[in-house]
Amino acid sequence: MNSLLCNWFDDWGRAIYDGLGETWLIILTLVFAAIALFLLQNILRASINKTKIKIKWFQIIFCIIFILFTIWFCTILTLR
């Protein structure tokens, strides 16, 4: 038995897939992946070039959000 949260994400995933279609879902997945990689690159570059690491928390949080959306959209694409 699935939880209500899993059913909610599954229903929302179906609604996104039906509303956007496969092509736009692929485009959004690539855009989210590019943004996540760009944020990750900035975080890694800032930590490598500086002797004292200055962490930008908003970049880390947004990077995690974009990575999760990328993974979620990939799972939506593979389940169809």
Side-chain angles (χ1 to χ4, degrees):
M1 181 175 172
N2 290 337
S3 68
L4 291 175
L5 185 62
C6 289
N7 288 337
W8 183 77
F9 277 119
D10 191 37
D11 291 341
W12 200 32
R14 283 190 192 125
I16 289 172
Y17 185 82
D18 292 340
L20 293 176
E22 189 172 351
T23 304
W24 277 105
L25 204 56
I26 291 171
I27 291 170
L28 280 177
T29 303
L30 292 175
V31 167
F32 283 150
I35 292 171
L37 289 174
F38 177 72
L39 289 172
L40 188 63
Q41 173 208 7
N42 285 341
I43 293 168
L44 291 176
R45 184 180 293 162
S47 66
I48 291 172
N49 291 338
K50 309 255 182 185
T51 56
K52 184 177 179 184
I53 298 173
K54 184 177 179 183
I55 299 174
K56 297 178 181 176
W57 289 106
F58 68 92
Q59 279 187 345
I60 293 172
I61 292 170
F62 280 124
C63 185
I64 291 170
I65 289 170
F66 282 118
I67 289 171
L68 290 175
F69 269 117
T70 303
I71 293 169
W72 186 39
F73 282 176
C74 287
T75 57
I76 290 173
L77 284 171
T78 57
L79 294 177
R80 301 294 171 205

